[in-house]
Amino acid sequence: MNPSNLNKPPFQRHINKSQQPKTAGYVKTEAQKIKKPQKSHMSTKTCKFFFLMIIFSNFYPILTYPHPEFPCKPPNHNSFPFCNTSLSIPTRAKSLISHLTLTEKIQQLTDNASSVPRLGIPAYEWWSESLHGIAENGPGISFEGVITSATSFPQVILTAAAFNRSLWFSIASAIAIKARAMYNVGQAGMTFWAPRRFLGEENDGDESLMLSACCKHFAAYDLEKWNGFSRYNFNAVVTEQDMEDTVQPPFRSCIQEGKASCLMCSYNAVNGIPACVKKNLLDTARNEWGFQGYITSDCGAVATIYEYQHYVDNPEDAVADALKAGTDIDCGTHLLRHTQSAIDKGEVKEEDIDRALFNLFSVQLRLGLFDGNPANRMFGDLGPEDVCTKEHRALALEAAKQGIVLLKNDKEFLPLRKDGNLSLAIIGPMANNVSQMGGGYTGFPCKPKSICDGFKAHVKRASFAAGCPDVACDSDDGFDEAIKIAQVSDYVIVVAGLDLSQEREDHDRVSLLLPGKQMELMSSVAASSKSPIILVLMGGGPVDVSFAHKDPRIASILWVGYPGEAGAKALAEVIFGYYNPGGRLPITWYPESFKEVPMNDMNMRADPSRGYPGRTYRFYTGDRVYGFGQGLSYSKFAYKIVSAPDRLSLPGPMKADSLDNVLQRREDGLDYVRVDEVASCASLRFHVEISVMNVGDLDGSHVVLLFAEVPRTIKGAPEKHLIGFDRIHTVSGGSTNTKIWIDPCRHLSFANEHGKRILPSGSHRLMLENSEHSLLVEIAQNSNKQ
């Protein structure tokens, strides 16, 4: 493989400069623009969306650009069976494999897959990233072409705080459009290692994909670099109980509900076995969850099996173990360099490679990569004009506004009055730095603005002082300037928190306090300001700001995460009351004392005997700075549970032999059923109807979080757990109803010590912020043994 090709985008590595996309082209005619493909892979609803998009795009000229190189190009390379779109995907994948030599097969086992010139197959780069927009991290993406930027949405931790499924879907759809547009001009591939639901959206009744999305990092990837441990050699010791109800559920839903077609195994070991060679772990995804796609290693993870973890004695053993466990492709070169010698030593058979290639090629075929000219396929009309659109920038703004969390607002200090004559002091090393807005896995935003710039349209004078030289804030040399502008301004905003110098891949924080002298800066400014100050916190992780929460000189606290390119405007609209905040914290904010909990301890449940407080809102028993789901509004809301069952009977018949098990548990004082013993979970489903009344003065959207508390009679039961949510908009003085569907087998159960989900009988509580409902779960006495 030519090393000079590594940084070129997919299917472009063998194109000379004269073939690269130009900045000008001819204008398509209207007939060309709306030409209907011979075969549609889209649902009627999706077709209507894209048809409208195409029609509206004709109000201005559309430039066309060369498409990337593609397989199955006529006249010399389109007669192979794997190019025949009338054949099934498995048939075509097997045909493609059969045409490759052993050497050519091995060259496909790396993310930078080689070309096969005799078959007309270009090289392909599997690694592209799109966590919250098209990112520059992976070599599959290039911004050096006709597309030089793309909309940057908020980092996912902030969009999670919106608790809005339709928002998440819209963002994913927008990213997919941009990604496909970049593919069409040769600046991206179609396989994105981003766990975005619906990024790889499947069309109704069809195997085809618009893009391929990835669930990562599987599994128990919870440590980067701490106290002598690193992600490359860490062994995550996870109980069967925690594996079942904490580690695996996000991946199961990513596969089953998100329809991901890629799974990435992580660097770390799980219970002594590296994740990429842990066959029972990878088999769970395929055999139990119905995963249909390819499994890639994290970048370099196959090599770490031998080089860092020393799990095997030689490089060939790492190849054999990875392939036989179910890893299909190596993000790296270990399989490329050592598979042939593993075959020579008899450790790997060609059919092991064929199995991996079948999974890889099946995904590429579903993407249409072997269907001929991309310009003639569905989505072939997407191009540069579809990337930095006004609609997508508006969506980025909406996402940031919905995610912002108001954590403190003493005496209703916010919103500030809409008075153009105000003066504002904006203080903090991140306040005037555009590069901090996106966090990690960011590309080149379309129209980014700093937080300072976002406020200029709302005030007569906006003054800026960094206060600290950077986020680490090791010096107080800038304090005087910050104090000076605070003294002469009507209001003061301090932007503090974290950036990628403090939290990033391969780096763990060792303190939950604000970095360096940030706290001293804040206190000094608050003491000098004419009025209480506003604290804006950036960053993805929790910060112990207990001092600020208690300090009356700090009137309001907002968390904005990494809000993306429109974050500055979103924050200004929230602070000045053009938007009523409604975000909720998606994680628990622990106090500084939590740093004493060893990072290598993977246990979720609390253990008082050794002073272990547990992890996450579901099991943590210690103090909190702010809890999961916490978030204020400029309005006030009241709840009422309109309808919910008071009693739930687990009916017979159960599955064979389960009644004897239930009776034995009752004799032992344990009254529950195992979920896998319930004959029909679907028959137990019910909905909870909730009425939300806005009793405040402002209209606003509101996040409804419904928690459940199971009977605490069985060891390991969670403190509480979220079973449903919705985001609704309610006008002042009005009310809005919503329904949340409950599947008792899923939502009212938890894992026992053996990793089996159990549904306890007794009194369960369904809880909202200021309302709760009791639900009695009974096990029917007349269940019939089958």
Side-chain angles (χ1 to χ4, degrees):
M1 199 177 303
N2 186 351
S4 66
N5 286 329
L6 285 174
N7 293 321
K8 294 183 182 178
F11 287 167
Q12 283 268 329
R13 295 197 181 86
H14 303 289
I15 302 176
N16 61 40
K17 290 184 178 179
S18 66
Q19 294 173 297
Q20 292 291 334
K22 306 295 184 182
T23 57
Y26 65 88
V27 178
K28 278 192 175 182
T29 67
E30 210 165 277
Q32 288 172 312
K33 189 65 181 173
I34 61 173
K35 181 180 179 181
K36 184 179 179 182
Q38 291 182 348
K39 179 180 178 182
S40 172
H41 294 294
M42 303 182 71
S43 66
T44 301
K45 182 177 179 181
T46 311
C47 278
K48 288 179 180 178
F49 169 77
F50 279 96
F51 181 77
L52 289 172
M53 183 180 71
I54 290 167
I55 291 296
F56 284 118
S57 70
N58 281 285
F59 284 107
Y60 52 88
I62 303 299
L63 301 179
T64 59
Y65 309 90
H67 280 277
E69 284 294 298
F70 57 90
C72 299
K73 181 182 292 186
N76 298 322
H77 299 110
N78 62 331
S79 60
F80 299 109
F82 57 79
C83 299
N84 186 346
T85 58
S86 69
L87 300 177
S88 68
I89 295 293
T91 299
R92 296 173 70 190
K94 292 174 183 177
S95 168
L96 178 51
I97 294 168
S98 71
H99 281 79
L100 297 176
T101 66
L102 178 59
T103 298
E104 289 167 343
K105 290 178 180 180
I106 293 172
Q107 290 175 340
Q108 300 300 310
L109 297 177
T110 176
D111 67 285
N112 189 10
S114 294
S115 64
V116 187
R118 66 184 183 84
L119 299 179
I121 299 174
Y124 183 77
E125 176 55 69
W126 288 81
W127 178 11
S128 296
E129 299 280 0
S130 59
L131 182 62
H132 58 109
I134 308 301
E136 61 175 328
N137 299 67
I141 297 291
S142 171
F143 284 96
E144 296 180 358
V146 294
I147 296 175
T148 58
S149 59
T151 310
S152 177
F153 295 94
Q155 186 60 259
V156 291
I157 192 72
L158 188 68
T159 52
F163 285 93
N164 187 340
R165 290 182 179 88
S166 62
L167 175 71
W168 301 338
F169 181 92
S170 296
I171 292 172
S173 298
I175 293 173
I177 289 171
K178 297 173 192 302
R180 194 63 182 248
M182 291 187 72
Y183 164 76
N184 286 346
V185 297
Q187 292 182 233
M190 285 201 286
T191 46
F192 285 79
W193 293 349
R196 177 71 68 181
R197 186 179 181 183
F198 295 113
L199 181 59
E201 182 181 359
E202 293 196 56
N203 300 312
D204 295 342
D206 203 304
E207 290 182 299
S208 64
L209 292 170
M210 182 178 183
L211 289 174
S212 171
C214 198
C215 311
K216 59 184 187 182
H217 305 82
F218 194 50
Y221 180 42
D222 200 48
L223 182 147
E224 294 288 340
K225 196 171 189 177
W226 173 83
N227 200 27
F229 296 95
S230 88
R231 60 181 179 169
Y232 304 111
N233 59 16
F234 175 56
N235 177 31
V237 178
V238 184
T239 66
E240 291 180 303
Q241 189 173 39
D242 289 337
M243 184 66 75
E244 169 58 32
D245 68 6
T246 298
V247 174
Q248 291 188 339
F251 294 96
R252 182 165 52 233
S253 64
C254 185
I255 290 168
Q256 294 181 339
E257 299 172 35
K259 307 299 182 185
S261 52
C262 165
L263 182 65
M264 177 181 285
C265 51
S266 53
Y267 294 113
N268 58 281
V270 181
N271 296 329
I273 303 175
C276 292
V277 299
K278 194 172 178 66
K279 182 172 173 56
N280 64 341
L281 182 71
L282 304 184
D283 281 351
T284 295
R286 288 201 184 277
N287 301 334
E288 295 183 24
W289 304 341
F291 174 64
Q292 296 181 1
Y294 70 97
I295 297 176
T296 178
S297 74
D298 203 342
C299 296
V302 177
T304 64
I305 297 166
Y306 168 64
E307 296 173 4
Y308 285 88
Q309 296 170 340
H310 308 297
Y311 180 74
V312 294
D313 296 330
N314 56 68
E316 291 79 14
D317 285 348
V319 171
D321 286 1
L323 287 173
K324 291 177 180 179
T327 300
D328 300 314
I329 192 170
D330 175 16
C331 179
T333 61
H334 191 90
L335 291 182
L336 186 67
R337 290 181 289 117
H338 300 291
T339 298
Q340 183 62 61
S341 57
I343 291 174
D344 295 341
K345 294 172 66 175
E347 297 185 22
V348 170
K349 296 180 180 179
E350 190 167 355
E351 49 260 41
D352 297 323
I353 299 173
D354 291 350
R355 178 207 55 78
L357 293 181
F358 179 82
N359 294 327
L360 293 169
F361 293 151
S362 293
V363 170
Q364 287 188 322
L365 287 161
R366 290 167 65 192
L367 288 164
L369 286 173
F370 291 83
D371 290 356
N373 190 342
N376 299 328
R377 303 202 313 263
M378 189 62 66
F379 313 116
D381 283 309
L382 294 174
E385 68 277 7
D386 300 298
V387 177
C388 283
T389 66
K390 179 181 177 181
E391 293 77 14
H392 290 171
R393 296 199 307 273
L395 180 61
L397 173 63
E398 182 65 22
K401 289 191 294 188
Q402 288 197 24
I404 290 173
V405 181
L406 179 64
L407 293 170
K408 177 184 179 181
N409 197 27
D410 282 354
K411 300 177 182 179
E412 298 183 348
F413 187 79
L414 292 179
L416 299 182
R417 67 183 187 274
K418 301 178 181 71
D419 185 346
N421 293 318
L422 292 177
S423 60
L424 190 65
I426 306 169
I427 296 168
M430 291 181 285
N432 204 30
N433 191 335
V434 173
S435 67
Q436 308 286 359
M437 300 298 285
Y441 287 84
T442 298
F444 295 91
C446 300
K447 293 186 177 181
K449 285 189 176 182
S450 70
I451 287 178
C452 274
D453 288 336
F455 282 99
K456 288 179 179 178
H458 298 273
V459 296
K460 182 178 181 180
R461 186 186 79 247
S463 305
F464 165 73
C468 301
D470 51 29
V471 172
C473 198
D474 294 326
S475 170
D476 59 6
D477 290 347
F479 281 23
D480 289 344
E481 182 186 4
I483 291 170
K484 182 178 178 180
I485 67 168
Q487 290 173 332
V488 297
S489 299
D490 295 320
Y491 294 103
V492 177
I493 297 173
V494 176
V495 182
L498 311 170
D499 70 356
L500 296 184
S501 70
Q502 307 296 312
E503 51 179 8
R504 63 181 184 276
E505 279 195 79
D506 211 20
H507 176 82
D508 278 314
R509 295 162 59 200
V510 294
S511 172
L512 291 173
L513 298 176
L514 288 169
K517 298 179 182 293
Q518 284 192 31
M519 184 165 62
E520 289 91 328
L521 171 65
M522 205 175 307
S523 297
S524 298
V525 170
S528 306
S529 175
K530 292 187 293 186
S531 61
I533 70 171
I534 301 163
L535 171 59
V536 173
L537 293 169
M538 293 188 67
V543 183
D544 185 347
V545 288
S546 303
F547 77 96
H549 187 74
K550 299 172 184 176
D551 192 339
R553 301 172 302 174
I554 301 174
S556 301
I557 303 175
L558 299 106
W559 175 69
V560 300
Y562 295 105
E565 69 173 71
K569 184 176 182 181
L571 177 61
E573 290 190 9
V574 167
I575 284 179
F576 281 97
Y578 294 97
Y579 187 85
N580 191 349
R584 304 291 194 103
L585 284 182
I587 55 174
T588 300
W589 282 27
Y590 303 99
E592 171 68 357
S593 59
F594 191 74
K595 73 177 184 180
E596 303 302 324
V597 176
M599 286 191 191
N600 62 317
D601 192 329
M602 297 292 292
N603 286 285
M604 293 291 115
R605 270 81 175 169
D607 185 354
S609 67
R610 58 187 181 96
Y612 185 73
R615 295 180 182 274
T616 79
Y617 80 94
R618 297 167 60 228
F619 303 107
Y620 178 65
T621 57
D623 295 329
R624 296 165 175 80
V625 179
Y626 294 112
F628 171 87
Q630 196 159 343
L632 305 174
S633 169
Y634 295 152
S635 197
K636 291 179 172 57
F637 298 87
Y639 295 93
K640 179 182 178 182
I641 296 180
V642 177
S643 66
D646 297 318
R647 187 183 301 267
L648 182 68
S649 179
L650 304 182
M654 292 183 180
K655 293 182 180 178
D657 300 325
S658 63
L659 181 58
D660 290 341
N661 296 332
V662 171
L663 295 175
Q664 181 61 50
R665 290 172 201 141
R666 285 177 176 166
E667 292 177 6
D668 297 338
L670 302 174
D671 209 356
Y672 65 85
V673 295
R674 274 181 24 189
V675 168
D676 61 6
E677 296 171 340
V678 178
S680 175
C681 287
S683 66
L684 301 176
R685 293 173 185 165
F686 63 90
H687 73 261
V688 177
E689 185 173 1
I690 301 164
S691 175
V692 180
M693 176 170 284
N694 186 338
V695 295
D697 297 327
L698 297 175
D699 300 349
S701 63
H702 184 68
V703 172
V704 178
L705 301 177
L706 181 63
F707 293 90
E709 181 184 273
V710 303
R712 304 297 301 279
T713 55
I714 301 172
K715 183 179 179 181
E719 300 290 313
K720 65 176 182 178
H721 60 283
L722 183 68
I723 60 174
F725 62 88
D726 194 12
R727 188 176 183 116
I728 58 176
H729 188 272
T730 307
V731 299
S732 174
S735 63
T736 304
N737 284 20
T738 184
K739 290 182 179 180
I740 295 177
W741 284 91
I742 306 301
D743 178 351
C745 289
R746 177 180 177 184
H747 296 126
L748 303 183
S749 66
F750 63 95
N752 65 14
E753 291 177 299
H754 304 291
K756 301 296 183 181
R757 295 201 72 86
I758 59 174
L759 176 54
S761 63
S763 180
H764 294 243
R765 288 201 304 159
L766 307 180
M767 300 178 295
L768 300 164
E769 280 186 61
N770 53 17
S771 181
E772 64 179 55
H773 178 82
S774 293
L775 172 66
L776 181 64
V777 175
E778 299 175 310
I779 301 174
Q781 299 289 336
N782 62 343
S783 296
N784 297 319
K785 182 176 177 180
Q786 292 186 340

